[in-house]
């Protein structure tokens, strides 16, 4: 969705690795000492040299690896005991601009010479070869203490081809103790990613291609149905982990802290829109479709239980459950196609302007908090435990068996 963000070109074909380290954690934010509010700075410039020398290499920071295992030790040095942070995840199919959006949320300035973007964007070569450039979950931290989680694309043919053995079985174990076909495992990977993000994030950006793609809507509705029994990172109890170790999560519903199960706030983003997609009729139809599709889901909450904003402005449309004033709206954001910025007189706002507005709205959203106060470091440690609950979920395993018995996937 975006062109090259580096001006080095042929003069510097192999950028030096230290640059992404600075992008991962702004100076003064790597220390484990106290930090100021979400939009402040902490520490002095001269304190960062010794910290940066201990940081791991950028390429080894993935929380979720290509073998579907969760790793925390390499990312933990970037986190602090600060409790004023926001976790934003993104999920979507290949080529919709997930990494471009996350770079914007990070605050990356592509005009700075020699600076690499925190998240790698898809190149023309990757697009031509139908290859993906993100693996597992790639985390970064911004100066505002945004913990950004970029995920590998869902429904990606290139990921499916890499995980398929000659006999059609999966090389990746997505469910504990289950040997599945690659097609079924690939389907479940998207669901597991969605369940994890809905559990450990404050905000989840659900990115779709154009106005007619509803595959991500269907995925998130499935996530809502299968997330039951998975707590947020602050609500883990010993009984949760005992259930995970002793067997699938039977009776997990009785072990979650009282109250409604936690669900991250979704922001539905549709990218690559053309001028004709910004008509009032198209916008209204999309809003109504979103409201009807998720009318009975956990994403639509009663007012007072979700501290989210009532409206997002300009490119953002708000929807309610059957227009009921007692329910908070879902968030829908429309982003135009990038190449329309090249037109002499675009009829609507530009691609860059839409990204700016999306960043402003995400930064200003008062999303629901976790059940308890938790530090960045404890959030990461507990997220690893939640991932084990996701992989051993009895509900997801039962759904897998249902899909297998349907005959849609090879055995």
């Amino acid at each position: 969705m975006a062109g090259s963000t580096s001006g080095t070109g042929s003069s510097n074909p192999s950028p030096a690795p230290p640059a992404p380290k600075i992008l991962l954690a702004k100076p003064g934010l790597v220390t484990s000492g106290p930090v100021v509010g979400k939009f402040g700075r902490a520490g002095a410039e001269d304190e960062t040299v010794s910290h940066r020398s201990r940081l791991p290499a950028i390429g080894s920071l993935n929380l979720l690896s290509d073998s579907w295992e969760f790793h925390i030790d390499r990312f933990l040095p970037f986190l602090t005991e600060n409790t004023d942070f926001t976790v934003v995840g993104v999920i979507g199919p290949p080529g919709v601009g997930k990494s471009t959006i996350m770079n914007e949320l990070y605050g990356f300035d592509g005009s700075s010479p020699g600076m690499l973007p925190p998240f790698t964007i898809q190149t023309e070569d990757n697009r031509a070869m139908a290859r993906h450039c993100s693996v597992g979950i790639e985390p970064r931290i911004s100066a505002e203490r945004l913990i950004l989680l970029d995920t590998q694309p869902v429904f990606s043919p290139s990921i499916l081809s890499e995980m398929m053995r000659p006999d059609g079985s999966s090389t990746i174990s997505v469910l504990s103790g289950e040997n599945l076909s690659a097609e079924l495992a690939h389907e479940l990977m998207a669901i597991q990613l969605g369940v994890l993000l809905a559990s450990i994030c404050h905000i989840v950006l659900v990115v779709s291609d154009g106005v007619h793609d509803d595959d991500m809507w269907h995925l998130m509705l499935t996530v809502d149905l299968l997330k039951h029994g998975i707590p947020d990172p602050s609500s883990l109890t010993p009984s949760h982990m005992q259930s995970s170790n002793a067997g699938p999560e039977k009776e997990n519903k009785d072990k979650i802290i009282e109250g409604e199960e936690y669900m991250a706030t979704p922001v539905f983003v549709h990218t690559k829109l053309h001028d004709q997609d910004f008509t009032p009729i198209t916008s209204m139809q999309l809003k109504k479709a979103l409201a009807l599709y998720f009318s009975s889901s956990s994403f639509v909450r009663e007012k007072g239980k979700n501290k989210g904003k009532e409206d997002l402005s300009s490119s953002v449309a708000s929807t309610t459950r059957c227009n009921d004033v007692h329910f908070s709206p879902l968030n829908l954001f429309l982003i135009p196609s990038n190449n329309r910025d090249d037109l002499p007189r675009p009829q609507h706002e530009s691609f860059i302007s839409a990204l700016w507005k999306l960043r402003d709205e995400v930064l200003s959203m008062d999303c629901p908090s976790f059940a308890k106060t938790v530090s960045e470091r404890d959030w990461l440690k507990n997220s690893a435990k939640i991932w084990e609950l996701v992989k051993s979920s009895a509900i997801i395993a039962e759904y897998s068996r249902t899909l297998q018995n349907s005959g849609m996937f090879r055995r």
Side-chain angles (χ1 to χ4, degrees):
M1 286 179 61
S4 175
T5 56
S6 174
T8 57
S10 59
S11 62
N12 187 14
S14 300
K21 293 182 182 180
I22 299 175
L23 288 170
L24 274 168
K26 293 289 186 181
L29 291 178
V30 187
T31 174
S32 60
V35 298
V36 296
K38 185 185 299 182
F39 299 100
R41 291 180 61 87
E45 296 286 338
D46 57 0
E47 295 177 353
T48 64
V49 177
S50 61
H51 289 294
R52 257 187 260 163
S53 65
R54 299 198 302 266
L55 296 178
I58 180 80
S60 65
L61 288 168
N62 288 35
L63 294 182
L64 196 59
S65 68
D66 54 2
S67 61
W68 224 229
E69 298 297 328
F70 205 94
H71 303 280
I72 67 171
D73 54 333
R74 291 166 290 189
F75 188 57
L76 195 60
F78 291 97
L79 300 184
T80 73
E81 296 300 327
N82 169 46
T83 59
D84 184 16
F85 64 97
T86 301
V87 186
V88 182
V90 66
I91 188 170
V96 293
K98 299 184 299 299
S99 298
T100 299
I101 292 173
M102 297 302 267
N103 285 333
E104 186 66 32
L105 292 180
Y106 182 90
F108 173 70
D109 182 6
S111 63
S112 300
M115 296 296 282
L116 294 176
F119 297 102
T120 303
I121 60 175
Q122 191 176 43
T123 64
E124 290 299 328
D125 288 342
N126 281 342
R127 188 175 293 108
M129 296 295 293
R131 306 287 296 179
H132 58 282
C133 57
S134 298
V135 177
I137 296 180
E138 300 180 5
R140 305 289 186 269
I141 303 178
S142 75
E144 298 88 358
R145 301 318 282 172
L146 284 178
I147 299 179
L148 302 172
L149 305 180
D150 191 13
T151 63
Q152 68 181 36
V154 297
F155 316 133
S156 170
S158 60
I159 291 179
L160 176 59
S161 65
E162 288 182 358
M163 60 186 289
M164 182 180 292
R165 291 192 178 98
D167 63 356
S169 63
S170 173
T171 60
I172 300 175
S173 176
V174 299
L175 289 176
S176 301
E178 298 275 351
N179 185 20
L180 306 174
S181 68
E183 292 97 335
L184 179 55
H186 186 240
E187 182 82 8
L188 294 177
M189 288 170 73
I191 295 172
Q192 290 177 328
L193 272 181
V195 170
L196 179 67
L197 293 182
S199 302
I200 68 174
C201 295
H202 296 99
I203 301 170
V204 176
L205 304 178
V206 183
V207 188
S208 300
D209 188 347
V211 295
H212 302 294
D213 180 17
D214 63 354
D215 288 343
M216 292 306 301
W217 293 13
H218 177 72
L219 173 62
M220 295 310 293
L221 200 58
T222 305
V223 166
D224 178 51
L225 292 173
L226 302 182
K227 183 186 176 296
H228 182 69
I230 308 296
D232 72 70
S234 72
S235 303
L236 280 175
T237 64
S239 58
H240 273 113
M241 300 317 299
Q242 289 173 6
S243 174
S244 175
N245 294 332
E249 54 191 77
K250 60 180 180 178
E251 300 180 2
N252 259 6
K253 62 182 180 180
D254 300 324
K255 298 172 182 175
I256 296 178
I257 291 179
E258 291 186 4
E260 290 190 358
E261 289 188 343
Y262 177 83
M263 184 72 74
T265 298
V267 176
F268 295 90
V269 183
H270 285 253
T271 63
K272 298 185 178 181
L273 272 66
H274 303 286
D275 283 344
Q276 62 268 27
D277 298 324
F278 283 93
T279 64
I281 294 178
T282 301
S283 178
M284 183 59 66
Q285 288 176 339
L286 194 57
K287 288 188 288 185
K288 289 183 176 179
L290 185 67
L292 290 174
Y293 205 91
F294 291 96
S295 61
S296 59
S297 74
S298 302
F299 296 123
V300 180
R301 302 178 177 91
E302 291 184 42
K303 288 184 177 178
K305 295 185 179 180
N306 180 4
K307 298 186 293 182
K309 292 177 69 69
E310 291 296 317
D311 268 311
L312 299 181
S313 60
S314 185
S315 298
V316 185
S318 299
T319 61
T320 59
R321 178 181 292 180
C322 300
N323 297 320
D324 192 328
V325 296
H326 298 294
F327 291 91
S328 295
L330 291 172
N331 301 312
L332 174 65
F333 205 97
L334 308 180
I335 297 181
S337 175
N338 187 15
N339 56 18
R340 201 163 47 77
D341 289 351
D342 299 330
L343 298 179
R345 296 178 59 189
Q347 297 180 19
H348 304 282
E349 68 179 345
S350 68
F351 169 78
I352 297 299
S353 175
L355 286 180
W356 287 347
K357 288 185 177 181
L358 176 59
R359 182 180 191 271
D360 290 342
E361 296 296 345
V362 170
L363 286 175
S364 62
M365 285 180 69
D366 291 325
C367 48
S369 302
F370 297 137
K372 296 179 180 179
T373 300
V374 65
S375 70
E376 295 172 358
R377 294 173 66 87
D378 286 339
W379 165 84
L380 179 61
K381 295 173 184 177
N382 289 342
S383 294
K385 299 174 183 177
I386 288 177
W387 178 242
E388 294 305 314
L389 291 176
V390 172
K391 291 188 69 174
S392 62
S393 167
I395 297 176
I396 297 179
E398 181 62 29
Y399 182 77
S400 171
R401 287 189 287 271
T402 300
L403 291 179
Q404 184 71 77
N405 294 334
S406 70
M408 298 172 56
F409 302 92
R410 72 174 74 181
R411 295 182 180 274

